[in-house]
Amino acid sequence: MTLRAVGTEAPAGGPSPAWSSGPAGTTTVPASGGVALALHRPASSRVHDHLLGGKDNYAADRDLARQVLDVLPQAADAARDGRAFLARAVRACAERGIRQFLDLGCGLPAGDNLHQMAARHTAGPRVVYVDADPLVIAHARALLVEGGNIAALHADLRDPAAILAAPQVRRLIDPAEPVALVFSSVLHLLPDPLVPLAALGAAAPPGSALVVSHATADHAPAAVAEAARRYAAAGAGPLLPRGVREIERLFGPFTPLPPGLVPAGRWRAGTPPSADGEAILYAGVGVRS
């Protein structure tokens, strides 16, 4: 089975040995599902990869990232703040005894991934990476699935029942043990994030955690609105920033740990920024009692 990608351009990091030529105007990448990818259009996962300094992105992704940075120059810093927050949040979860993690909307693999973050603080963490982008899952299966405690699942966050019923989740996530539900810079891509949050949260036992980082326009409304307009116009899907009160409501039965919902660079940072400036990413961790 192959993943067919429309367009012949190689990623920014150069061609991968796994890529092979297909019919005119296409390339193929080994993966399950035989899904066609239009690489001439940007994708949120690859735009985010470029903002993080990654190489798994294409010309359309880099062009949109530049358009966003033109009006929102702090976007790259926000992406890095979100990744650094994730590492601190995973540590906080592990210190509370959580050893299993659902990385929902995981995005492309980075230099330091969730299972590696968790392994620094707990023995034998179990991690399921979930994403609707088949290219993300192809990369995850090739680069992240290192052993029996890690799996990658191609699934849509808007169908939480399918996620909970997936064999990867049923094999690795014990429903009787606390689990960390990780939504790292993904809920602002969903028109109704309460759908997955409510269903997955209801299935999580006491002691479980909810990890959220979410775009906001609270501090730079005009610039964020223009960035969101450019994002949608480029065909990358909706970008839906929310205010602090809206994001707080997403936590539902999960009680935020101190310091609450704050700019991502300030959440339990050893050396927080001297000033938030025009923060565009909130972050927080909640625990279910």
Side-chain angles (χ1 to χ4, degrees):
M1 304 282 288
T2 59
L3 180 77
R4 294 181 58 251
V6 179
T8 56
E9 180 207 0
S16 163
W19 289 70
S20 61
S21 297
T26 70
T27 52
T28 59
V29 181
S32 62
V35 180
L37 293 180
L39 298 181
H40 61 284
R41 291 197 297 267
S44 58
S45 58
R46 301 193 302 266
V47 172
H48 194 251
D49 175 76
H50 180 68
L51 292 174
L52 287 171
K55 296 181 178 180
D56 293 318
N57 50 77
Y58 297 82
D61 311 305
R62 297 189 288 274
D63 181 63
L64 178 54
R66 285 191 291 268
Q67 290 185 51
V68 169
L69 289 167
D70 282 345
V71 295
L72 208 59
Q74 65 268 52
D77 285 341
R80 289 189 290 268
D81 283 348
R83 201 70 193 174
F85 156 74
L86 177 61
R88 299 193 298 272
V90 167
R91 176 177 180 173
C93 292
E95 289 176 344
R96 298 183 69 88
I98 295 175
R99 297 178 58 247
Q100 48 185 13
F101 299 80
L102 276 175
D103 192 351
L104 298 144
C106 58
L108 284 159
D112 192 22
N113 298 287
L114 194 150
H115 69 283
Q116 295 158 326
M117 299 172 183
R120 290 196 288 270
H121 308 291
T122 187
R126 303 188 300 277
V127 178
V128 180
Y129 292 99
V130 183
D131 207 285
D133 185 336
L135 187 60
V136 167
I137 295 304
H139 279 262
R141 287 175 177 158
L143 301 175
L144 300 182
V145 181
E146 299 174 347
N149 284 353
I150 305 167
L153 170 64
H154 182 210
D156 193 322
L157 298 190
R158 295 169 296 181
D159 189 358
I163 294 173
L164 291 171
Q168 296 92 328
V169 173
R170 294 173 67 88
R171 177 173 67 85
L172 288 178
I173 305 300
D174 185 341
E177 291 184 18
V179 60
L181 305 174
V182 178
F183 293 90
S184 179
S185 296
V186 67
L187 292 176
H188 48 247
L189 304 176
L190 300 181
D192 187 3
L194 284 174
V195 171
L197 284 169
L200 295 170
S208 294
L210 177 64
V211 177
V212 170
S213 54
H214 195 300
T216 185
D218 281 357
H219 306 286
V224 172
E226 176 59 19
R229 187 197 68 78
R230 295 183 181 193
Y231 205 84
L239 178 62
L240 304 166
R242 296 180 172 92
V244 64
R245 297 293 174 254
E246 292 178 279
I247 301 170
E248 285 176 341
R249 286 195 290 272
L250 298 178
F251 280 80
F254 292 83
T255 302
L257 297 175
L261 188 67
V262 296
R266 286 192 169 273
W267 196 90
R268 297 195 180 183
T271 306
S274 57
D276 292 330
E278 294 182 336
I280 59 171
L281 190 73
Y282 284 128
V285 177
V287 174
R288 184 162 194 175
S289 57

